[in-house]
Amino acid sequence: MSGSKKLAAPGLLKVCIVGSGNWGSAVSKLIGANIINAPEFDKTVKMYVFEEILDATFGENSGKKLTAVINTKHENVKYLKGHRLPDNIVAEPDLVVAAQDADYLIFVLPHQFIGKALDNLTGKIKPSAVGMSLVKGLYNPEKTNIRLLSTVITDKLKIPMGVLMGANVANEVADGLFCETTIAFKELKQGQIFKKLMQTPDFRITVIKDVTNAELCGALKNIVAFAAGVSDGVFGEKTNTKAAIIRLGLMEMMKFAEQFFPGGTPETFLQSCGIGDLVTSCFGGRNRKVGEAFAASPAKTLDDLSKEMLGGQQLQGARTAEEVNYFLSHKGKEKDFPLFTAVHQICKKEMAPNKLIDAIRQHPEHHHFRVSVHGFNDERSAAGKPVFIYKNLLQRLITTIVTCSHLATTLAKHLLGWEEGILYFGANEPLGQGIVSLHPDMVDAINTYIHSDKVKLNGPPLISIGQAINGTLN
Ligand SMILES: NC(=O)c1ccc[n+]([C@@H]2O[C@H](COP(=O)([O-])OP(=O)(O)OC[C@H]3O[C@@H](n4cnc5c(N)ncnc54)[C@H](O)[C@@H]3O)[C@@H](O)[C@H]2O)c1
């Protein structure tokens, strides 16, 4: 399309949207409108469109190329029907042509198409480009390891990447309904630039640094949303059961992040990308919808239902459940994530949808308390390694500080022996944290130990572990 060449101005920053499904098209409305008022940016935004010939169901547009319809009628009639896209959004069917001179690349393809897109783009984009991923999913082609898509993009294209994840059903964003979202970028400054391109009075953006947890939230919530849909299909829209599924799903999401991608901050789960997106996906969204239909019509396959219900849109939850399951089974950890595992089995028809609750009735979250153990060397302390033990989620609730290296070792041994948590003991400053599930007997044992004369406390404990945990339970 020559329009882009005509409008391009040298020296101005260029933006390319890589993807033009439901979400890519909705986002193009925001960017196309905002960029008009951003003097440092070229006003033309190229949008890579996977070329399709529209079939007979598209009436007057049938037989036409989707790119041609977008560029002449300014509507993505297939993926975002009924919304006018700004005139400065230019559909481009050649990925390299769309992306090669962009300074800012916004990836918004369904995650199964990312690998091939990256192969095409490698070595063909500006080395100084910066990217942001709106893609919800994980990367697991080897079926043993699992990686964040933003990391995969950085490794392949050698560009810094952030993510945008949030409670954002595309049609509602396109309708201009108020919502929030989260941009995560290690360099906050980069995040602010994308915020400028996308924020509106009704699309409120918080910029944080924790890319890892933000991206994991976006990917894993689709599994939980499918489970919420199964619950709707089996029980009707009963809220207690669904609330339990959402909470247990959230705990599995957090545990997955803590165990396999340590270093993120738990507070990220309180952002729009965390609890916000989880709630919206479990009540609206395509994963819930198809999960419900799948549970209610056992004769149909997921493929049948996706074709019937999604009009070409992709179902992410089942695919992510499969990828996560490959990884968990490789690690021997399926039992620790019963909800994720059950969703995969249901999607594969290895478990009847009405058995979902049986699979989570004895959930580990009902048996183990969760505390976070943070260990580090403290050279100020003659005794060696203090151990900080505190409740997870709001880390500031430090429950006890014990300066005793022996206790640190004992805890590590016991905790690692009992459960799969990870402890870090490093030099001078906290290196990270591990979350462990702590059996109540262990809590008693630790408290007895802390209060025994074997332990020299550096001042009295602020509050004992038992009290803190009872506080959590009451
Ligand atoms: N739709 C939403 O409400 C929403 C909201 C937030 C995030 N997301 C995420 O955004 C990403 C994109 O989802 P979406 O809803 O925009 O897509 P979609 O499911 O609406 O559309 C599918 C897209 O895939 C393209 N496609 C089909 N075959 C292809 C191929 N072989 N190669 C390349 N592209 C091909 C189609 O042209 C279309 O653009 C997903 O990761 C999704 O989870 C979606």
Side-chain angles (χ1 to χ4, degrees):
M1 154 83 198
S2 59
S4 58
K5 283 187 189 134
K6 243 192 320 197
L7 289 171
L12 292 175
L13 298 166
K14 295 188 176 66
V15 176
C16 169
I17 303 173
V18 181
S20 54
N22 193 220
W23 189 214
S25 302
V27 155
S28 79
K29 282 188 73 178
L30 307 175
I31 296 174
N34 277 1
I35 213 162
I36 297 293
N37 300 316
E40 67 275 37
F41 284 95
D42 193 320
K43 304 302 167 231
T44 297
V45 177
K46 286 188 199 160
M47 179 166 76
Y48 163 63
V49 175
F50 176 75
E51 191 65 286
E52 298 179 55
I53 305 296
L54 297 169
D55 66 23
T57 59
F58 290 92
E60 60 178 34
N61 294 315
S62 69
K64 292 186 181 159
K65 288 179 175 173
L66 182 56
T67 48
V69 174
I70 294 174
N71 286 336
T72 52
K73 301 196 171 161
H74 303 288
E75 181 184 348
N76 187 339
V77 291
K78 178 153 185 188
Y79 295 104
L80 191 65
K81 200 171 161 36
H83 288 273
R84 186 177 169 89
L85 305 184
D87 292 358
N88 54 338
I89 298 295
V90 177
E92 168 56 62
D94 184 322
L95 175 58
V96 174
V97 171
Q100 63 193 356
D101 55 0
D103 299 282
Y104 292 93
L105 288 158
I106 294 170
F107 293 88
V108 61
L109 289 168
H111 75 288
Q112 61 270 36
F113 305 129
I114 283 285
K116 190 157 173 258
L118 294 180
D119 289 343
N120 288 340
L121 288 177
T122 302
K124 312 245 176 65
I125 58 164
K126 276 189 165 180
S128 58
V130 180
M132 188 167 73
S133 170
L134 279 54
V135 184
K136 293 179 176 172
L138 294 163
Y139 193 75
N140 182 13
E142 310 94 12
K143 310 217 184 300
T144 50
N145 198 3
I146 208 154
R147 299 175 69 203
L148 299 177
L149 285 163
S150 64
T151 312
V152 173
I153 298 174
T154 290
D155 287 353
K156 269 281 213 182
L157 302 184
K158 314 287 178 223
I159 58 171
M161 285 291 299
V163 299
L164 179 145
M165 304 278 145
N168 307 134
V169 171
N171 289 325
E172 294 180 21
V173 173
D175 284 340
L177 295 172
F178 178 82
C179 67
E180 297 180 302
T181 199
T182 312
I183 284 180
F185 233 108
K186 281 203 180 75
E187 264 201 62
L188 289 176
K189 244 176 26 196
Q190 297 289 9
Q192 295 294 349
I193 294 172
F194 285 100
K195 176 174 177 172
K196 182 172 180 182
L197 285 169
M198 300 177 80
Q199 179 161 270
T200 73
D202 289 312
F203 190 71
R204 307 308 297 168
I205 301 178
T206 304
V207 182
I208 63 170
K209 281 187 158 190
D210 182 9
V211 177
T212 304
N213 279 358
E215 190 166 355
L216 285 169
C217 283
L220 297 173
K221 60 93 196 188
N222 281 334
I223 309 178
V224 186
F226 191 91
V230 169
S231 170
D232 288 343
V234 173
F235 302 110
E237 293 190 8
K238 295 289 185 277
T239 50
N240 291 354
T241 308
K242 197 152 131 179
I245 287 170
I246 295 172
R247 192 192 81 85
L248 291 171
L250 177 64
M251 299 319 271
E252 290 193 20
M253 287 165 62
M254 292 180 73
K255 186 166 165 176
F256 191 88
E258 290 149 5
Q259 284 197 10
F260 304 123
F261 293 85
T265 51
E267 284 84 354
T268 300
F269 287 86
L270 303 177
Q271 293 286 351
S272 177
C273 62
I275 189 70
D277 197 7
L278 185 62
V279 168
T280 203
S281 304
C282 290
F283 287 88
R286 66 186 90 156
N287 290 288
R288 190 217 66 81
K289 199 161 93 174
V290 175
E292 179 180 28
F294 191 57
S297 34
K300 297 200 171 167
T301 66
L302 274 180
D303 274 352
D304 296 337
L305 289 169
S306 300
K307 277 186 199 123
E308 273 173 34
M309 301 175 71
L310 300 182
Q313 292 187 341
Q314 303 289 315
L315 184 72
Q316 307 294 332
R319 186 177 293 272
T320 305
E322 180 170 31
E323 288 159 349
V324 164
N325 188 262
Y326 277 131
F327 175 72
L328 290 177
S329 66
H330 181 71
K331 296 252 173 211
K333 297 280 185 189
E334 281 171 293
K335 283 207 179 87
D336 295 348
F337 296 86
L339 184 75
F340 288 177
T341 303
V343 169
H344 171 66
Q345 291 173 342
I346 289 169
C347 290
K348 289 283 167 199
K349 292 201 176 279
E350 291 163 9
M351 180 189 284
N354 62 8
K355 297 288 176 209
L356 172 66
I357 301 306
D358 290 341
I360 58 171
R361 204 181 300 284
Q362 299 291 336
H363 199 283
E365 288 298 327
H366 299 150
H367 299 289
H368 292 125
F369 302 108
R370 291 162 63 83
V371 297
S372 170
V373 179
H374 211 166
F376 56 91
N377 285 333
D378 184 350
E379 285 164 359
R380 291 163 303 175
S381 152
K385 296 170 179 162
V387 177
F388 287 68
I389 301 170
Y390 49 81
K391 284 192 296 179
N392 183 35
L393 207 52
L394 293 176
Q395 300 185 342
R396 291 172 202 92
L397 297 177
I398 295 176
T399 58
T400 185
I401 301 172
V402 186
T403 51
C404 174
S405 58
H406 178 58
L407 180 64
T409 319
T410 309
L411 279 178
K413 186 169 146 247
H414 276 283
L415 297 178
L416 289 170
W418 278 63
E419 287 294 331
E420 67 286 337
I422 313 153
L423 292 175
Y424 294 85
F425 292 97
N428 294 334
E429 57 180 32
L431 290 184
Q433 63 165 352
I435 308 298
V436 291
S437 294
L438 200 60
H439 193 280
D441 293 349
M442 189 66 206
V443 174
D444 289 346
I446 294 170
N447 275 325
T448 308
Y449 194 83
I450 288 171
H451 295 291
S452 77
D453 53 10
K454 289 184 207 147
V455 175
K456 286 191 180 59
L457 290 175
N458 183 12
L462 300 177
I463 176 174
S464 78
I465 300 178
Q467 282 168 316
I469 287 172
N470 287 336
T472 318
L473 292 177
N474 289 336

